[in-house]
Amino acid sequence: IIDDIQEFKTQGHNDLAEYGGVAGGIVSVVSKSGTNEYHGTMWEFLRNEKMDARGYFQAARVPLRQNMYGVSGGGPLSIPRLYNGKNRSFVYAAWEGYKQRLANENGALAPTDAMRNGDFSAWGQQLYDPYSTTFNSTTGAYSRAPIAGNILPPSEINPISQLYQTLIPHAGAMINGNNLFVPGKSATNQDAGSLRADQYIGNSDQIMFRYSEYAQLVNQPGGTIGVSTWLIDGHNWVSHETHTFGPTAV
């Protein structure tokens, strides 16, 4: 969450043990901590096709609804009449939600009307009858008889396959390797949150704890009639103590 970041640093080929065995670059992110004053932020970032221009090769603008919104804030952790956390106890929290609704068109390769009826003469590769498989004990090889003209007899077409074909729209002209274009809607829901607490003990010790969580649920068209759904869920926590031994040692 951008509003939860105090600073960040990019390091190249850092081989220190505290960063792990990473051969490439490292991005270190420092989260915000609370201060003696209460501060907060609210935000909303909006996108939709009403504010976009039509693409040069598009007949119409692609429908888009996208919202990113959240809140963050923190300050001293205090309980009225019981505990005053100024200069000692601090807390900072942030939450962000993201929703996107997008309509797009996916290309797929579907059987032609001739193939639906068993005519694969335009396929370009010879088909063989699996029921004619024979084994030559002398050579140890299998062989099958070719299907004449690559045209399947009606009796060889599986009824389950015929039923499945009724679910798939009919193919059209071949464009860039696809002959079926299916309009579909995709949806993304995402939530992220983070909580950080800092405690100062005297002038020599600082204890910090942070917990962050992230979840993303995506639904989008898959193939000609399917829908792909996946959930990405992440958790991260860190605790840290800094002790000052003196003016020259930490």
Side-chain angles (χ1 to χ4, degrees), residues 3-76:
D3 284 78
D4 192 36
I5 295 176
Q6 180 68 33
E7 62 181 62
F8 68 92
K9 178 172 61 176
T10 302
Q11 306 174 64
H13 296 279
N14 192 325
D15 299 322
L16 295 178
E18 61 186 288
Y19 296 106
V22 181
I26 298 172
V27 179
S28 301
V29 178
V30 178
S31 57
K32 286 183 179 179
S33 63
T35 64
N36 279 330
E37 301 291 336
Y38 291 103
H39 295 279
T41 305
M42 297 179 65
W43 64 89
E44 158 75 16
F45 174 70
L46 168 69
R47 279 192 62 198
N48 63 47
E49 85 281 0
K50 302 298 183 182
M51 297 182 289
D52 295 340
R54 177 180 60 84
Y56 184 81
F57 296 101
Q58 293 176 331
R61 290 176 293 189
V62 177
L64 171 66
R65 298 291 186 272
Q66 179 174 303
N67 295 82
M68 181 182 293
Y69 47 89
V71 60
S72 66

Side-chain angles (χ1 to χ4, degrees), residues 43-49 63-70 95-103 186-192 214-219:
W43 64 89
E44 158 75 16
F45 174 70
L46 168 69
R47 279 192 62 198
N48 63 47
E49 85 281 0
L64 171 66
R65 298 291 186 272
Q66 179 174 303
N67 295 82
M68 181 182 293
Y69 47 89
W95 169 82
E96 183 174 78
Y98 174 86
K99 294 186 183 300
Q100 184 191 70
R101 301 296 183 266
L102 180 66
S186 60
T188 300
N189 294 324
Q190 177 179 303
D191 287 280
Y214 169 89
Q216 183 187 66
L217 177 64
V218 179
N219 292 279

Side-chain angles (χ1 to χ4, degrees), residues 90-200:
F90 306 96
V91 64
Y92 197 90
W95 169 82
E96 183 174 78
Y98 174 86
K99 294 186 183 300
Q100 184 191 70
R101 301 296 183 266
L102 180 66
N104 48 25
E105 195 172 56
N106 293 284
L109 188 61
T112 63
D113 289 341
M115 292 177 179
R116 290 173 183 264
N117 297 319
D119 185 356
F120 289 83
S121 57
W123 181 252
Q125 299 183 20
Q126 181 61 55
L127 300 182
Y128 296 87
D129 185 359
Y131 298 107
S132 66
T133 304
T134 58
F135 175 71
N136 189 324
S137 58
T138 302
T139 62
Y142 291 89
S143 62
R144 290 175 175 176
I147 297 177
N150 273 2
I151 299 177
L152 300 178
S155 60
E156 296 295 326
I157 301 178
N158 192 296
I160 297 179
S161 175
Q162 291 179 316
L163 180 62
Y164 180 75
Q165 294 301 327
T166 62
L167 303 176
I168 301 178
H170 286 260
M174 186 72 70
I175 302 175
N176 295 329
N178 296 316
N179 59 5
L180 178 62
F181 295 88
V182 182
K185 297 180 179 180
S186 60
T188 300
N189 294 324
Q190 177 179 303
D191 287 280
S194 181
L195 174 65
R196 170 172 171 161
D198 293 85
Q199 178 68 41
Y200 290 83

Side-chain angles (χ1 to χ4, degrees), residues 106-108 164 182 184-185 219-230:
N106 293 284
Y164 180 75
V182 182
K185 297 180 179 180
N219 292 279
Q220 69 178 22
T224 54
I225 61 173
V227 176
S228 298
T229 301
W230 65 85

